[in-house]
Amino acid sequence: MICCLCCIAWCAKADRITYSLNTDWAFYRGDYLNGEQVGIDDSQWIPISIPHIMQLEKKHCGGDIIYDGIGWYRRYFKMPYGCEDKRILLQFEGVMNSCEVYLNGKKIVEHKGGYVGFSVDVSPYIERHSANNVLAIRVSAEYDSLTPPGKPQDRLDFYYYSGIYRDVKMVVTDKLYITDELEENNVAGGGLFVTYPEVNAKQATVRLKTHVRNTFQEARTVCLLSSVRDTSGQVVAQKEMKLTLKDGEARLVLQDIEIKSPQLWHPYHPNLYQLECELCDEEGLVLDRRVEQIGIRTISYSTEKGFFINGEHLYLVGANRHQSFPHVGDAASNSMQERDVIDMKRGGYNAVRAAHYPHDPAFLSACDKYGLLVIECIPGWQYFNEEPVFANRLEEVCRTMIRRDRNHPSIVLWETALNETTYPLQVVERIYRAAHEEYPGDQMYTSADYFSHEETEPFYDVFYKQVGHFPKDGSVMTNERDNLISVKPLFTREWGDGVGEKPRVSLQENEYEQMRQCRSRLRQLNGDGYFDWCMLDANPRMGGHFMWSYNDYARGAEEVTMYSGVVDVNRYPKFGYYMMQSMRPASVSQAGLYEGPMVFIASFNSGQYPSATSEIMVFSNCDEVHLYRNGKLLGKQTRKERASVYPWIVQKGGSPSFVFDAGSYEPGALRAEAWLDGQLVKTHEVCTPGEPDHLSIEILDPQVQPVADGSDMIPIYVKVCDKQGTVVPTSAAEITLEVSGEGHLIGDGIRRIGVNPQKVEAGIGYALIHTTQKAGQINIKAVSEGLKPAELSCHTIHCEMHILPDGNHAPFTGDEEQGVVVKDTKWDKEILSHETIVIDSIWGDVGSKEYPLRHTVDGDDFSWWISEADSFPQTVTFVLPHITKVYGSRIRFQKDSSSYQHRVEISEDGQTWETLYEKECTGWDFKPVRFQKHLRYFRIVFEKVSEGHSALAEVTLFK
């Protein structure tokens, strides 16, 4: 229940109380002189709640246009009665990217880095006895090259956004207490550390290390009672220990708790126990209590077979996930994290790579709850700073990440390497040693790339990209079995993007384009893909793989949204979502999540596309599929016969596609039946979309009940449907939303970001609703000219967490758009708006048959020229029909992960050359360059390539 007047009085017998500080904040966009001072006039500041991004952004906000400045936050409060002699701890789960924290005008801490939070004891700074307190935080989202990931956002494949974007809490305890992991800064210590030295079907040992501190000025004798409860709340085991602590003493207490016939944690049956640790005085009064969900399991890895959990082999089918959402960036509520986990589990995944940084604690808790294995990563992407402070902060974030998350049963691999980055071996070893120091024993496994980083072999336990060398013919699509070497356990951390006939697809593209992405990825899964994906399912040593990516996302390096996801930025599924869902075993079901068997038709049956005529693709994990059109049988196919097309996928437990040729097109209904063990178990029907008729509203994952805590979020879809209720994917109708009751629309009326009104994409609109602090009904209405409106109501439930009451202050009256900063995109508007110049001819290494020079000017970023030569320098020259004034150029190199050392030169006569620039960059660094020169010859000279051959995707010149 919400903490109000009844919560202000502190109960004399109460132990630890945790208060939410997510509500009743004031925010100022920009820097504010003396923003920490108690007496300033903040009445015109913006009223906000946490999680918070410092500026709401467009849904598609790529190209480094997001807010990256300063912001100030203020929160007033009064301490409850009875807290005069208590310890007060503030916990920040995430502040991006650095901050200074003040209490009542006094600076108490600075923190660098936004992906792992921090805790600080504010007991000496608190005004008690009902006095007013003001907490002020100066937050900087400015570029910081010394704090991982450290790379400028305009060259980064994702955003790190801004603000106090995760929960803020206040913890009130006795002066004799169980410590906080992040506050203590102890190696393999602080707080609670749970391991399982013995795990089998008959018995498990829960080894508990509890760190206790006495801050009284005299010795105290206490009892530490540690209990393990099952899902029904029954105590199944406990251990008691008496200890006396001197004044100021801290002690790490070891307890082994034996559990008979344990219910082991596994992705398909994620059994959780509740660990309860109580500190009691000699009279039995509970002084402090900590409760944590734990899962009993053991893991191991094998070079030949991959991953094992509780002694059983499990093939990992995973995806990479970024934590961002439309408009709010990374500042999403805990329920939004939970919805992503539910969606991934339903989508066929048993694992997730939390790329490229530590994700929200709520996300990890949901992974524990629903059974999603996790690779957790230190923050990094193609960047290392040689300044020593960068390595120091890298080690610090690695240690704090492990301390924060070490008790999560879902985390089975720790990626302690900077993603796709070369850096000194001593730093590699340093971070590896730190990880194993923080988590000693045989349950800590670290991972990193191996290819091109062979010298790091001793310092990682699991490898990605485990191939011997670049393909002999220079083609990145060549897969040679003699390249596959057995060094250590092997996984593919990223696959599915960058190569193939359709690496990325937007929901706004037609049904055939969506199907092409699926067809391409099926081939890749079956072994016909990018060489350092290690042949995926076709590799006998492959332990599992992680698709790039689960969700579409915006990024600083490009204006165009990254459309590599199986769901879009709204989490609305593409056909690829169901392709991966079919990789789930039909025999595996999880109550409340999904039933094992599935079937899905990858078509809208909307026209003369192959996906509606000659290549109607159906996904199913069952034995047989029957397809009907308008009641007429089009054909039957069995899993056994389709397994001959995709043998390696089936051998690894996945499913092939079922492809039917209907000959010609006929509008109406396609119906697929899935049969298992001779029984009809699932059906799916798609109908040809008609004319737009009405709107409908849907709440994503309604099983997650919204909480009336003032900061929860409810995602909604608004669909444009025909008379039969079929979504019209070609609709771009403008809709207007009305939200009333105990909720409000995030970004309502801000045309800059286009929430309300908004134009739907592929017939789908999306919005987020904030809850209030009062439980009740939220009413949602959607209207659009010419369409029947839609209405929907939902209810919020009472918040069970205590909310620290607001203090005394004038009302905050600022407007959300107050002080908004709009950044121009730097290249699309300026350079790419110019007319392109026709290339007359190209000189240079002709390239292979599959990757000829003409691919560099065909308008396709995903067709390439790859040189057949191994020596450097190499030159490619583009010749114009005559001397022309060229405004600028755009060069895209072939590989995202390779580094190309090159220079660009121009000439009017082909004899005298002028150097425009020299640069080292990757495939992402294809920003247009403005130079305004007269030329006829434009050439690129490759001096060095970090791996592979010289290669280009596209070269464009502008008038």
Side-chain angles (χ1 to χ4, degrees):
M1 182 161 305
I2 294 178
C3 187
C4 51
L5 291 178
C6 61
C7 300
I8 295 178
W10 176 275
C11 176
K13 294 186 178 180
D15 49 62
R16 171 182 301 233
I17 291 186
T18 300
Y19 293 96
S20 169
L21 264 70
N22 280 356
T23 55
D24 302 309
W25 288 83
F27 172 69
Y28 180 86
R29 186 176 294 115
D31 213 345
Y32 194 97
L33 183 63
N34 300 322
E36 77 281 4
Q37 294 301 314
V38 174
I40 66 170
D41 180 7
D42 51 22
S43 62
Q44 295 186 40
W45 288 29
I46 306 167
I48 61 100
S49 63
I50 308 295
H52 183 256
I53 184 173
M54 292 205 284
Q55 182 168 292
L56 293 173
E57 304 290 355
K58 298 176 182 178
K59 178 185 294 185
H60 302 290
C61 58
D64 191 33
I65 63 171
I66 68 169
Y67 185 77
D68 56 358
I70 304 296
W72 277 89
Y73 294 81
R74 287 167 68 87
R75 214 293 193 169
Y76 292 83
F77 64 92
K78 293 181 180 181
M79 292 306 300
Y81 295 111
C83 294
E84 289 77 16
D85 200 33
K86 299 294 182 178
R87 170 180 175 267
I88 314 296
L89 185 76
L90 284 179
Q91 295 177 332
F92 295 85
E93 288 187 354
V95 183
M96 189 62 72
N97 185 38
S98 65
C99 66
E100 302 167 11
V101 181
Y102 300 84
L103 188 56
N104 298 323
K106 298 177 181 177
K107 186 174 181 178
I108 57 175
V109 72
E110 287 188 38
H111 183 75
K112 301 285 188 180
Y115 289 114
V116 179
F118 60 98
S119 301
V120 57
D121 188 338
V122 296
S123 303
Y125 307 95
I126 290 277
E127 295 290 342
R128 312 194 192 219
H129 305 287
S130 301
N132 215 33
N133 290 271
V134 59
L135 177 65
I137 304 167
R138 183 185 187 272
V139 178
S140 172
E142 295 173 312
Y143 171 56
D144 181 359
S145 64
L146 298 176
T147 299
K151 193 170 188 178
Q153 300 210 74
D154 67 350
R155 292 173 19 219
L156 198 62
D157 182 44
F158 57 96
Y159 278 132
Y160 34 89
Y161 291 101
S162 64
I164 306 178
Y165 75 105
R166 291 179 184 165
D167 293 343
V168 182
K169 301 173 184 176
M170 176 183 285
V171 181
V172 181
T173 72
D174 195 82
K175 288 188 175 181
L176 200 159
Y177 58 92
I178 300 169
T179 64
D180 179 272
E181 292 81 356
L182 299 187
E183 181 195 13
E184 286 298 316
N185 196 27
N186 287 346
V187 174
L192 304 178
F193 189 2
V194 189
T195 56
Y196 310 96
E198 180 185 5
V199 176
N200 56 58
K202 294 182 178 180
Q203 180 172 297
T205 300
V206 178
R207 177 160 293 168
L208 173 61
K209 294 180 181 179
T210 307
H211 192 242
V212 181
R213 182 178 294 278
N214 176 23
T215 58
F216 285 104
Q217 294 183 352
E218 68 275 349
R220 290 290 178 98
T221 298
V222 292
C223 175
L224 174 61
L225 177 63
S226 300
S227 306
V228 178
R229 298 179 184 271
D230 62 18
T231 53
S232 68
Q234 296 297 311
V235 175
V236 296
Q238 62 183 194
K239 184 65 71 75
E240 189 173 6
M241 181 177 291
K242 189 174 183 179
L243 58 151
T244 300
L245 289 89
K246 299 176 183 177
D247 58 298
E249 181 184 359
R251 188 181 304 175
L252 190 64
V253 182
L254 175 64
Q255 293 174 304
D256 279 352
I257 305 173
E258 307 298 331
I259 297 179
K260 303 296 183 183
S261 302
Q263 298 296 306
L264 302 185
W265 190 93
H266 185 280
Y268 301 145
H269 41 82
N271 300 304
L272 290 173
Y273 289 91
Q274 181 171 285
L275 174 65
E276 185 178 88
C277 299
E278 294 182 331
L279 285 175
C280 304
D281 65 14
E282 294 178 290
E283 284 74 41
L285 178 67
V286 177
L287 302 176
D288 194 16
R289 176 191 286 113
R290 279 194 58 177
V291 177
E292 192 152 329
Q293 300 292 316
I294 62 171
I296 300 172
R297 54 91 174 134
T298 183
I299 59 172
S300 62
Y301 292 86
S302 159
T303 301
E304 294 302 318
K305 294 187 177 181
F307 176 72
F308 291 80
I309 184 165
N310 304 323
E312 299 177 5
H313 177 259
L314 180 67
Y315 194 67
L316 301 190
V317 179
N320 289 267
R321 181 243 188 193
H322 272 306
Q323 66 182 8
S324 59
F325 292 85
H327 310 301
V328 299
D330 294 344
S333 67
N334 294 340
S335 66
M336 298 288 287
Q337 314 295 330
E338 183 176 4
R339 285 183 171 93
D340 267 12
V341 175
I342 292 172
D343 197 48
M344 293 192 74
K345 286 290 292 187
R346 288 177 175 164
Y349 301 102
N350 58 25
V352 59
R353 179 169 175 251
H356 295 287
Y357 41 78
H359 285 215
D360 196 304
F363 179 79
L364 299 175
S365 294
C367 290
D368 296 341
K369 178 180 178 181
Y370 295 104
L372 191 65
L373 300 172
V374 179
I375 298 178
E376 183 156 50
C377 312
I378 59 173
W381 193 81
Q382 296 185 4
Y383 178 86
F384 179 76
N385 193 317
E386 294 182 356
E387 291 291 329
V389 67
F390 184 86
N392 293 342
R393 291 178 183 172
L394 191 63
E395 179 182 350
E396 179 184 7
V397 73
C398 176
R399 290 185 181 276
T400 53
M401 172 184 75
I402 295 170
R403 291 169 192 165
R404 187 194 73 168
D405 298 331
R406 62 198 178 192
N407 294 337
H408 286 285
S410 57
I411 299 179
V412 295
L413 200 55
W414 305 82
E415 191 173 310
T416 53
L418 293 173
N419 185 73
E420 297 176 354
T421 306
T422 299
Y423 51 103
L425 190 61
Q426 61 266 32
V427 178
V428 171
E429 180 178 3
R430 175 181 174 183
I431 306 306
Y432 170 80
R433 303 280 183 213
H436 280 276
E437 286 175 4
E438 290 293 340
Y439 201 126
D442 64 358
Q443 296 296 286
M444 160 59 73
Y445 294 88
T446 65
S447 59
D449 289 351
Y450 177 70
F451 179 52
S452 295
H453 301 279
E454 289 88 345
E455 73 280 3
T456 68
E457 188 272 333
F459 306 121
Y460 297 106
D461 307 303
V462 171
F463 276 122
Y464 318 124
K465 292 188 174 183
Q466 196 160 299
V467 294
H469 49 78
F470 201 89
K472 300 180 181 68
D473 62 1
S475 169
V476 296
M477 299 298 284
T478 295
N479 290 283
E480 302 166 352
R481 284 191 171 272
D482 63 355
N483 280 344
L484 303 178
I485 55 179
S486 178
V487 175
K488 285 184 177 179
L490 169 65
F491 294 82
T492 298
R493 60 165 171 76
E494 296 172 12
W495 73 274
D497 182 55
V499 298
E501 62 173 305
K502 189 67 177 180
R504 302 166 192 169
V505 64
S506 164
L507 267 182
Q508 298 181 76
E509 297 182 68
N510 64 55
E511 64 175 85
Y512 179 58
E513 295 306 310
Q514 285 202 53
M515 191 276 285
R516 287 180 64 214
Q517 185 191 47
C518 297
R519 181 173 62 192
S520 175
R521 287 183 169 182
L522 279 166
R523 291 171 178 168
Q524 293 164 5
L525 263 185
N526 201 53
D528 184 16
Y530 192 58
F531 82 103
D532 73 359
W533 297 345
C534 308
M535 298 176 69
L536 297 171
D537 287 350
N539 187 336
R541 296 191 183 96
M542 181 63 62
H545 43 70
F546 296 79
M547 175 184 282
W548 194 273
S549 55
Y550 161 64
N551 56 302
D552 292 349
Y553 58 95
R555 51 193 178 151
E558 285 190 61
E559 288 188 41
V560 177
T561 293
M562 183 68 154
Y563 292 115
S564 57
V566 296
V567 299
D568 75 346
V569 292
N570 307 334
R571 279 34 176 194
Y572 197 82
K574 307 175 190 176
F575 291 169
Y577 178 85
Y578 301 99
M579 185 200 91
M580 293 307 298
Q581 189 180 77
S582 73
M583 302 302 155
R584 181 181 71 211
S587 59
V588 175
S589 299
Q590 280 191 243
L593 279 183
Y594 59 82
E595 295 178 1
M598 63 78 61
V599 65
F600 179 83
I601 305 169
S603 172
F604 297 143
N605 197 31
S606 60
Q608 298 291 338
Y609 300 110
S611 49
T613 56
S614 59
E615 197 173 354
I616 305 175
M617 186 176 288
V618 180
F619 303 123
S620 179
N621 56 5
C622 296
D623 298 335
E624 189 171 354
V625 171
H626 303 174
L627 185 65
Y628 298 83
R629 171 176 274 157
N630 299 327
K632 180 182 178 181
L633 180 67
L634 293 180
K636 300 179 181 180
Q637 290 183 15
T638 67
R639 178 184 178 89
K640 184 176 181 180
E641 63 184 287
R642 290 297 295 171
S644 64
V645 182
Y646 298 109
W648 304 115
I649 292 177
V650 175
Q651 190 176 89
K652 286 293 198 296
S655 299
S657 62
F658 300 80
V659 181
F660 297 86
D661 186 350
S664 59
Y665 176 67
E666 181 182 316
L670 288 172
R671 175 183 170 86
E673 297 179 347
W675 294 73
L676 187 65
D677 297 328
Q679 301 293 318
L680 176 62
V681 292
K682 284 288 179 180
T683 63
H684 181 234
E685 184 173 280
V686 297
C687 297
T688 303
E691 292 299 314
D693 175 76
H694 65 274
L695 301 176
S696 69
I697 303 172
E698 177 184 322
I699 294 176
L700 180 63
D701 290 315
Q703 73 182 62
V704 180
Q705 288 191 287
V707 179
D709 61 1
S711 64
D712 200 3
M713 298 175 183
I714 307 169
I716 64 167
Y717 295 131
V718 181
K719 301 180 178 181
V720 178
C721 302
D722 65 12
K723 289 184 177 180
Q724 283 70 46
T726 299
V727 173
V728 183
T730 56
S731 174
E734 184 172 272
I735 61 172
T736 302
L737 298 169
E738 299 174 16
V739 176
S740 61
E742 299 305 329
H744 67 271
L745 193 66
I746 295 178
D748 192 9
I750 303 176
R751 286 196 171 264
R752 176 180 61 85
I753 62 172
V755 173
N756 196 30
Q758 68 172 281
K759 284 194 172 183
V760 301
E761 297 180 351
I764 308 294
Y766 177 84
L768 291 169
I769 296 173
H770 244 150
T771 64
T772 69
Q773 293 189 53
K774 180 182 177 182
Q777 182 168 294
I778 299 175
N779 305 306
I780 311 161
K781 184 177 181 180
V783 298
S784 181
E785 185 177 354
L787 301 177
K788 298 181 183 70
E791 294 187 26
L792 182 71
S793 295
C794 65
H795 289 80
T796 59
I797 60 174
H798 288 287
C799 175
E800 295 182 355
M801 189 174 186
H802 300 290
I803 297 177
L804 193 66
D806 198 4
N808 296 333
H809 59 83
F812 304 132
T813 61
D815 178 79
E816 176 65 41
E817 287 291 270
Q818 198 169 289
V820 72
V821 176
V822 177
K823 295 168 60 177
D824 292 330
T825 52
K826 299 176 182 177
W827 50 91
D828 277 357
K829 285 185 177 179
E830 174 60 28
I831 301 177
L832 301 185
S833 60
H834 288 245
E835 185 179 349
T836 59
I837 298 173
V838 175
I839 305 295
D840 188 55
S841 61
I842 315 171
W843 303 343
D845 184 328
V846 295
S848 64
K849 181 180 179 181
E850 295 83 3
Y851 303 100
L853 269 174
R854 58 183 169 79
H855 280 179
T856 61
V857 292
D858 64 357
D860 185 355
D861 279 350
F862 298 99
S863 66
W864 309 306
W865 162 77
I866 300 176
S867 172
E868 293 191 304
D870 290 315
S871 60
F872 293 93
Q874 294 176 28
T875 302
V876 180
T877 305
F878 299 84
V879 184
L880 308 185
H882 48 76
I883 295 175
T884 305
K885 184 176 182 180
V886 178
Y887 185 75
S889 66
R890 174 186 185 268
I891 301 172
R892 171 153 189 174
F893 295 92
Q894 177 255 330
K895 285 192 66 183
D896 299 338
S897 55
S898 285
S899 179
Y900 299 88
Q901 179 69 50
H902 69 284
R903 69 178 183 273
V904 174
E905 300 175 334
I906 59 173
S907 174
E908 292 187 4
D909 58 9
Q911 302 296 319
T912 303
W913 293 88
E914 175 187 351
T915 299
L916 286 179
Y917 61 86
E918 295 182 88
K919 188 176 183 182
E920 182 176 3
C921 66
T922 68
W924 288 130
D925 292 322
F926 51 93
K927 311 290 190 302
V929 175
R930 179 175 57 243
F931 47 81
Q932 301 186 71
K933 298 274 189 176
H934 285 86
L935 60 95
R936 189 184 177 196
Y937 302 88
F938 179 93
R939 74 183 184 188
I940 304 167
V941 182
F942 290 86
E943 300 287 359
K944 182 177 66 173
V945 179
S946 63
E947 57 184 56
H949 296 194
S950 300
L952 290 167
E954 195 70 8
V955 175
T956 311
L957 301 179
F958 300 93
K959 288 184 180 179

